[in-house]
Each structure stands twice: as C-alpha cells, then as structure tokens.
C-alpha cells in the first residue's frame, strides 16, 4: 500500500518528463530540417500504427521488462546492477548450449529448461561480483561493468572460435533446430486466420509478464522479500534484526542476473535462432532507465518497457523514412528520453508528489492509500 | 549567578534577541505557534521543553536553517531576516550542535579557522590566526591543544573547540544544543563556568536542554515551550524543578515506584575479560568482566563513547570480541566462536538499540513493517511465514500498538511521523514480544518525551519483576540510578567498578565516569554516603 499522492505524483512526474524529452526531441528534429509533428507521427505510427510495428515494439519491450526487473530487484537491496548486458549475453550462451543439447525437441518441452539455463548462466556470471560486493566491499557498479567487457571478450572468443560454422564468415553460431524456435504471435494469428507479416514477437513476452507477477509477490508478499527490502532500506537495522545482510544481497544480485539472462531466451529461441555477436547490446543500460521510470515496481516497469520498445521501433522507422534523420539522431532522441525520464526522474517526482498532495488536501483526501 | 539590574536600565537597552509571534508549520504540524519572548544580552537563557516542543525549530529559525512562516526575529532591537547559517554567523549568532560539526582528521586549530581563512592563499596568516585563537582561549578559559587532531581529543575537549570556533567567528550569541549529554558531571560544571565567564563578557548564551537540574544551576532566565507554544519566560530563581517539569508536560509528573524484590540467583549474562579492538587496532573495550542475574537490572553508566556501544554490539552479536568470553544463556561467544545477531536472538536475547532510527527501525517504512523487524523468523506473528498476509500482520501490529500505548495505533502510518517516544514504545514492545530471557537496552529514553519515559521505565521494571536479566546502557545518570540494582561505570573501555543500590551517589559515579576507581572515588567523597 502506498500513499495516493506518491503514486499519482510519480505517474504525473513520468508524463511531464516524457513530455519534456519529446519537446526537446522536436527541437532537434527541427534543427536537422524536418517537421517535428510529422516525425512524431512517424514514430507513433511505426511503433503502434500497425500490428507489424506493434509486435516489434512488444518484442523489444519483452527484453526491457527482463532488464528493468533485473535492475529493480537489485535496487531493492540498494544495489546497482549495471551489468545486465553481460548477464543477458551469458544467458544467451546458456540457451544456445541447451538448444544444441536438445536438438529436435519441441519448443514447449525445451522452454522450461531454457529458462533455467538462461537464469543459471546469468546468475552465475554475476555471482562473482555479488560475492565481492557483499563479502569484500567492492563496488557493484565497477565490477559488473567490468564483467560486461569480460562477457564481451569471452563471447567473441566462443562465437568466433567455437560456435562459428566451418567455412562461414559470419560471427554467429549455427542455427538451432527449427523445432526449438518459439511460437510467434504472427503464427498464432495466422492460425486464427489473421495474416500479418512475420515478426519476432513470441511467447517469451508471457514469460516476462509472469516474471512481473512473481517479482511482485517475491518482493512485497514474502518473508524473503521483506528481508530484502529491510536490507535495502536500512542495512544496519536489518543486521540488528538478525537478517543475514550479505547473504540477502548475494541472493538478490543473483536473481537480478538471472532475470537479465532471460533476454537470451527471447533473442536466441524467439527471434534470431542462433547465437549472434552483441545480440544483447544496450539492453542492460536501457534497463536502468526502465527501472527508474518504473519506480522499481513491475507495474511501472511494464509501461516503461513499452515506451522504450516504441522508441526502438519508432526510431527505426524515423531514420528509414526521413533521410536527414540519421541513425545517430535517433540515438540522441533515445538518450533524451533516458536523460529526462530516467536520469532526472528524481528531480520532478518530489515536486509532483507535493503538488498532488496539495490537491488531495484541498479535496479532503490527503493520506488516502491505494 | 543571576545579576539583578534595575528594571529601568533594562528597558532602555533592547534585548539581544527577541522573537515576536514566530510561527512555523510543517504540513499540518505547528512546530512553533506564535512564540514571543526576549533574551537579554549578557545572560544565560535556558530553553526547556519535551521532544517535539519546538526548541530545535525555534533555534533553527534563529540560525537560518528554517524560514519562519510568520512573525519576526529582532537582534538588538533590529528586525532581521536570517536566510542561512552563514548569514546567522555574520550577525554574530553561533551554534554548537549536539553532534559536533568538526572534521576528524584536521587539527583543532584548522577546525577553528576552516571556512574563515579570509583569502585563497593561507601564507603567513596561520600564525595570526593562531594568536587570535590563543587569545580567545585565554580569555574564556577554553584550553585545548591547537595542533592535536580532533579525533585524538576527548568529546569534552572537542566541544571546547566548537565553542572557540563560534567565538572566533565573532559570535555574540551562542546557542548550545544539549551540550552536557557528552560530558561527565565534572566536565559539565567546567562548561557552566565557561558560560558564566562568557556572559560576564557580555555574550548571550542560549542553553537548550531537557535536564532541569542544569537549568536551575546555570541559567538566569528560562523559557518553557510546550507543543510549539511558549508557556512562560521567567527568571530561573522563581521556578522549581517540579514546577518546570509540570509546565513542560502540562500535568503533574510522578516518580516511578521503587519496590524491589531480590534477584534470582542464576546468572544469565556472564562476561569475562572481554576486549574489543577496532579495525585501526585501538582498544575500545578491555578487561571487562561482570555478571547479570535473572530479575536484575545492571546499569552501565559512563560518558558516551567510553566503550558502551561496543559492549552492546558484542553482546548483540554484531561484532566479535577480540578477547575474552561472553555467556548469554546457553550461548557461548569467544573470538574463535563468534556469534551473530541471528544466534543471539535465537538464544532468547532481545535488543533495544541505542540509536533507534539507525539500528532499530527502517524510517521509510510503515509502523506495520517495522513492528515485525527481527520477528520475521520467530514464528510469533500470525500471518508472517514464508508468505506474508498483510491484513493479519496489521491486526497483530494494531494489538501491539494498543498494548504498548503507541499513539495513534495506526499500523499503516509511516514510522517517521510518530514521535520519538511512540517509536521507542513500538521498538520495545516488538522486542518484548519475543518473550526474551535477556534484554539488552541502549539509551531507552534518548529523545523521548517525559510521559513516554515514565511508561518505558515501568515496562523495564516490570520485566525485571518477571525475572528477566536486563543490561541497561544509558548516559542519563538519573535513569541508570533510578532503574538499576547495580551500576557498572565504564571509562575508556574499562570497568571502574560496580556499585550496589545503597552505594549509589551521583558524585561517586561522577568521579568514576572521569576515571577514578570505585574505592578511591568512594574514599574521596567520604564514605560514599551523604
């Protein structure tokens, strides 16, 4: 239960921040000589205007949900897991190995094992930084970002020297067997008679939504979650209360790594069907912005993920349709949203919260909880 | 030391400080409600009130930390608007906070001059500063070594550095917030002596305190605040301890009863040759041995920072001893056999920590979530297993709040908006819910209003009657003397000896707190009695 002013204020602040980012983005579009209203229209049309675009948006959003949940659960322990990208990369390795170990199995048999493999690889990859932060006092930001580089180099070695098909010049593994490819939504729609172009949106989005529910229950409705939040909110009081602080921190970071690892399921079994170089590029960092906008709560992370999914997809249409809007301009636009809606979220939130509080006091509803 | 002057002269000179209708609101809370009173130059003025009575808010307005919503402040008859601490300092207002604002690694001299060096290049100016500081020290009898680093100085001396720091900046008005909480009774007397010489030089001293004895001893005038309102401003010689207490609380205050049953024989806490060295190798506790029996309260007295905190931390299993042993019920703790808070709690030990907001509570949580902190694996709370059923825990919390008179009994209220007394009652209630055999209590009434103090003391005595072993650490000598069956005095991490209840004497304990052994302290006072 949270105070109504906190919740409404947070939502209000998020919208104002996004509005400011969009307005600044408009100025940028104007500066490169295009019509900002038309550009916004292209972005919205690209992201939501067709079933095709929408499914791409939701496909990206699936990855952002995993990345955002990963950041959020570590944040509950007052830890900043910035290495989601490396953990996702390793999660992909786990999924690939599993797929090569289970050729010919139907996807629905392999999926639970793939989820376990992806989470295990992501968790093991972050276990060393987790141990170092809890027992040796190193800083998780530094160690996880360094582990991103380690992951990148390790995967280059593995993909180029181990997984690459003989004679192929492409730095990617062989394709997984077709039976392991996850069911896509265009296939489902085709089965009920709606023909849409093929797009990568697949059943993993359901896994992501289930994860949102599980994380909500784990953090707010279990004893472990209670201890986790105690550690994050006041680790000294948690220690006094007999909570094994270091153990809880390690567990939280490992769960975080596991959630990031699930991006591997979506990308390898759902979309690319092979292990490709840099397939997880950027997801870990965008996950930080997603968690920030989503206030570290799944109910906020889902809309924030869709927002960033739309930016990815709509941005792609923008640079495709407007010749003077290069790929770099799109990256700057995404950066603006991250800056305002993510980085500056704490600047506006207190103001918005107290404004809402004042309105609620006027209405005689101060202190209401929802 | 009240200097009475003819009223006619006083009328002519405007007061050093005048508050006129000062009002400050925090949300719906009126922290200061139309406060008006004046403080004459060259006097020592006490401000007393319970926690939350508005003392700190009022002084923060004077020191430029808060902007009042209404009313004005006049300094020497002129209306001023003080927007920041630096503006306050520029107008000659200095403040010595309860927690000192000193840089540990710098020397005393550097701490005095930091921020007022004058120019970018220090150059040869240091020697001029040194002369100026020495002159201030000599004038008011505030001796301390200029070149010692702050962390090597005892707290009493650090306080002198703080005072000199304010005087160096030209303070004519000096605000001291609970200055004696870190001092032995003797050091406090020395401080009061400094106050008098400062006042004699025309400086105005404002003493914020909750110790009524000090107010009676040192101040010329006293202002009583209650619930943000100024109840009275009066010459100190016109009030008594009882009348002050009554004005502070708004009703008559009773003393707790003193019925004592003998302790049961079994030893519940046995400490032998206990030592603790901090990471830098400094001995914080050494050679400490004592027993606590069931049905007994052992009070640990001492100036804060003499090893009491480390003792409690070791007993609670938060840190391991460097040497010696602890026996808590059936649990043995040695350097090779370290405990943890989990093991200690499992052996029937409850712990009311010294600093409740840092160690006892999660400030941003509701009362509900705080009411089960530490109980989450005890199995004593319905609705709190692997899964949490919030409605059941809320019911449990509400019952706990009613049983321990936590007001208002609303489990969903954030804990930080409860008063200090109500927070503490919740912490104590929660710890007692474990039905412990051993209770470790640190500063149970720090920052707690008088009404709650009474109820907390009754609770601890009731636990003693029920045969629990209680170790009470407090810097409030009065509290330790009221509650304890025996008092152990700590000085620099060592025990200066124990006193039995019929040997309690504030002067003896005062000497022991300053480092005298028990027997020599008793001899010095003269038999320990009278």
């Amino acid at each position: 239960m949270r105070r109504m002013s906190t919740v409404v204020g947070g939502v209000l602040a998020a919208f104002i921040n996004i509005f400011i980012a969009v307005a600044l983005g408009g100025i940028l579009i104007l500066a490169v000589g295009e019509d900002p209203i038309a550009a916004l229209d292209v972005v919205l049309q690209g992201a939501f205007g067709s079933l095709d675009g929408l499914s791409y948006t939701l496909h990206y959003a699936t990855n952002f949900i995993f990345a955002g949940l990963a950041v959020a659960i570590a944040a509950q322990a007052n830890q900043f897991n910035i290495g989601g990208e490396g953990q996702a990369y390793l999660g992909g390795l786990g999924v690939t190995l599993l797929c090569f170990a289970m050729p010919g199995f139907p996807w629905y048999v392999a999926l639970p094992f793939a989820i376990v493999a992806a989470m295990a690889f992501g968790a093991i990859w972050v276990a060393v930084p987790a141990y170092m932060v809890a027992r040796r006092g190193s800083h998780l930001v530094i160690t996880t970002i360094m582990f991103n580089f380690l992951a990148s180099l390790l995967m280059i070695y593995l993909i180029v020297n181990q997984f690459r098909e003989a004679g192929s010049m492409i730095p990617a593994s062989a394709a997984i067997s077709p039976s392991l490819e996850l069911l896509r939504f265009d296939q489902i729609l085709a089965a009920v008679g709606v023909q849409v172009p093929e797009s990568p949106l697949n059943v993993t989005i359901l896994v992501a939504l289930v994860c949102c529910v599980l994380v909500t229950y784990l953090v707010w409705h279990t004893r472990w979650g209670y201890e986790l939040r105690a550690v994050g909110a006041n680790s000294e009081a948690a220690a006094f209360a007999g909570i094994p602080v270091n153990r809880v921190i390690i567990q939280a970071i490992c769960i975080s790594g596991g959630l990031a690892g699930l991006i591997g399921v979506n990308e390898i079994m759902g979309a690319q069907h092979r292990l490709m170089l840099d397939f997880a590029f950027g997801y870990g960092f965008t996950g930080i912005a997603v968690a920030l906008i989503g206030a570290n709560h799944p109910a906020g992370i889902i809309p924030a993920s869709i927002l960033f999914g739309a930016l990815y997809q709509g941005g792609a249409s923008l640079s495709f349709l407007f010749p003077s809007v290069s790929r770099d301009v799109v990256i700057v636009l995404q950066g603006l949203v991250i800056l305002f809606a993510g980085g500056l979220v704490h600047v506006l939130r207190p103001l918005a919260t107290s404004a809402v509080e004042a309105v609620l006091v006027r209405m005689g509803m101060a202190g209401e909880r929802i | 030391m009240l200097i009475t002057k003819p009223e006619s002269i006083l009328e002519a000179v405007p007061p050093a400080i005048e508050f006129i209708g000062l009002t400050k609101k925090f949300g719906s809370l009126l922290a200061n409600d139309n406060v008006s009173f004046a403080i004459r130059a060259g006097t020592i003025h006490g401000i007393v009130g319970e926690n939350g009575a508005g003392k700190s808010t009022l002084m923060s307005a004077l020191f430029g930390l808060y902007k009042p919503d209404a009313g004005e402040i006049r300094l020497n008859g002129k209306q001023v608007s003080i927007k920041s601490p630096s503006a306050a300092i520029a107008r000659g207002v200095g403040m010595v906070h309860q927690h000192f604002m000193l840089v540990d690694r710098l020397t005393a001299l550097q701490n005095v001059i930091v921020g007022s060096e004058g120019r970018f290049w220090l150059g040869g100016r240091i020697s001029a500063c040194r002369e100026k500081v020495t002159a201030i020290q000599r004038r008011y009898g505030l001796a301390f070594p200029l070149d010692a680093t702050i962390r090597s100085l005892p707290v009493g001396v650090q306080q002198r550095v703080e005072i000199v720091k304010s005087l160096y900046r030209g303070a004519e008005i000096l605000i001291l917030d609970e200055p004696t909480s870190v001092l032995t009774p003797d050091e406090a007397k020395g401080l009061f002596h400094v106050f008098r010489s400062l006042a004699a030089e025309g400086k105005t001293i404002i003493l914020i305190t909750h110790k009524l004895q000090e107010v009676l001893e040192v101040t010329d005038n006293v202002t009583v605040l209650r619930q943000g309102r100024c109840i009275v401003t009066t010459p100190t010689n016109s009030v008594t301890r009882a009348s002050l207490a009554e004005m502070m609380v708004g009703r008559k205050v009773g003393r707790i009863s003193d019925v004592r049953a003998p302790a049961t024989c079994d030893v519940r806490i046995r400490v032998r040759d206990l030592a603790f060295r901090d990471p830098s190798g400094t001995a914080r506790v050494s050679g400490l041995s004592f027993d606590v029996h069931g049905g007994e309260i052992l009070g640990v007295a001492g100036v804060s920072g003499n090893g009491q905190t480390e003792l409690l931390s070791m007993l609670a299993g938060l840190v391991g001893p460097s040497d010696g042993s602890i026996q808590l019920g059936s649990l043995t703790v040695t350097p090779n056999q370290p405990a943890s808070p989990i093991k200690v709690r499992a052996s029937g030990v409850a712990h009311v920590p010294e600093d409740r907001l840092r160690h006892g509570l999660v400030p941003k949580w509701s009362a509900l979530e705080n009411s089960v902190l530490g109980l989450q694996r005890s199995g004593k709370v319905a609705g709190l297993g692997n899964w949490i059923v919030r409605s059941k825990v809320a019911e449990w919390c509400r019952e706990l709040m009613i049983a321990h008179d936590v007001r208002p009994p609303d489990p969903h209220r954030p804990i930080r908006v409860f008063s200090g007394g109500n927070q503490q009652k919740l912490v104590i209630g929660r710890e007692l819910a474990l039905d412990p055999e051993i209770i470790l209590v640190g500063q149970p009434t720090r920052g707690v209003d008088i009404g709650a103090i009474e109820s907390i003391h009754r609770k601890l005595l009731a636990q003693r009657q029920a045969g629990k072993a209680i170790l009470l650490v407090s810097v409030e000598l009065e509290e330790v003397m009221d509650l304890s069956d025996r008092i152990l005095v700590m000085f620099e991490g060592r025990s200066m000896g124990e006193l039995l209840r019929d040997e309690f004497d504030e002067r003896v304990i005062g000497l022991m707190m300053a480092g005298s052994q028990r027997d020599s302290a008793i001899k010095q006072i003269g038999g320990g009695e009278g």
Side-chain angles (χ1 to χ4, degrees), chain A residues 1 3 217-218 220-224 226-227 229-234 236-244 247 369, chain B residues 318 341-342 345 351 353 357-365 369 372-374 376-377 384-388 412-413:
Chain A
M1 254 191 282
R3 285 172 70 87
Y217 268 85
L218 183 66
W220 283 278
H221 297 277
T222 68
R223 173 160 60 196
W224 184 82
Y226 175 80
E227 295 188 334
R229 288 180 294 117
V231 167
N234 187 347
E236 288 186 90
F240 271 68
I243 296 169
R247 193 196 304 166
R369 296 184 179 87
Chain B
L318 289 157
I342 304 162
R345 279 180 177 270
H351 182 195
L357 281 177
R358 239 179 95 192
H359 296 142
L361 296 166
V362 177
K364 67 176 179 187
W365 277 3
E369 293 189 296
V372 294
L373 188 63
Q376 71 276 6
R377 292 188 185 272
L384 183 60
N386 280 325
W387 295 85
I388 295 175
H412 300 292
R413 209 161 175 253

Side-chain angles (χ1 to χ4, degrees), chain A residues 251-276:
Chain A
Q251 288 167 339
I253 297 173
C254 287
I255 293 174
S256 167
L259 286 165
L262 288 174
I263 292 172
V265 175
N266 191 34
E267 286 297 323
I268 308 283
M269 283 176 82
Q272 299 166 2
H273 305 140
R274 60 178 73 226
L275 180 59
M276 310 218 337

Side-chain angles (χ1 to χ4, degrees), chain A residues 70 73-81 123 126-140 143-144 224-225 227-236 238-239 243-257:
Chain A
I73 201 160
Q76 290 296 343
N78 203 17
Q79 296 294 329
F80 198 28
N81 177 12
V126 82
V128 177
Y131 175 83
M132 292 200 296
V133 68
R135 305 276 178 189
R136 291 284 175 268
S138 68
H139 203 293
L140 194 66
T143 48
T144 50
W224 184 82
E227 295 188 334
L228 167 74
R229 288 180 294 117
V231 167
N234 187 347
S235 64
E236 288 186 90
I243 296 169
V245 173
N246 289 340
R247 193 196 304 166
V248 171
I249 287 177
I250 292 176
Q251 288 167 339
I253 297 173
C254 287
I255 293 174
S256 167

